[in-house]
């Protein structure tokens, strides 16, 4: 169980960092739309992390 949790966290962090790195490579003229999209993606990652964290805690508490 701990391995799966660590794996989910690692994949989430790598995905977030990759998204930010790819977004920084875009040409300057697209900066406004990239900034908005990056903000939206970051918000989605944060919300997904919170929902998954609640689900994992709920599962752990329910199983024990």
């Amino acid at each position: 169980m701990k391995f799966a949790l660590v794996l989910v966290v690692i994949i989430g962090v790598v995905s977030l960092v990759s998204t930010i790195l790819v977004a920084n490579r875009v040409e300057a003229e697209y900066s406004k739309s990239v900034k908005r999209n990056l903000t939206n993606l970051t918000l989605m990652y944060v919300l997904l992390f919170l929902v998954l964290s609640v689900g994992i805690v709920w599962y752990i508490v329910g199983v024990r």
Side-chain angles (χ1 to χ4, degrees):
M1 179 66 188
K2 286 184 180 182
F3 175 74
L5 179 59
V6 170
L7 189 60
V8 167
V9 171
I10 290 172
I11 290 172
V13 170
V14 168
S15 300
L16 179 62
V17 170
S18 299
T19 301
I20 292 171
L21 290 175
V22 168
N24 286 336
R25 295 184 192 168
V26 179
E27 295 179 22
E29 64 189 50
Y30 296 109
S31 64
K32 287 185 180 181
S33 63
V34 170
K35 183 176 180 182
R36 185 183 71 237
N37 290 338
L38 187 58
T39 302
N40 290 340
L41 282 172
T42 304
L43 180 62
M44 283 188 269
Y45 279 122
V46 168
L47 290 175
L48 182 62
F49 177 76
L50 292 174
V51 169
L52 291 176
S53 297
V54 168
I56 290 170
V57 169
W58 186 16
Y59 176 78
I60 291 170
V61 170
V63 169
R64 295 183 179 187

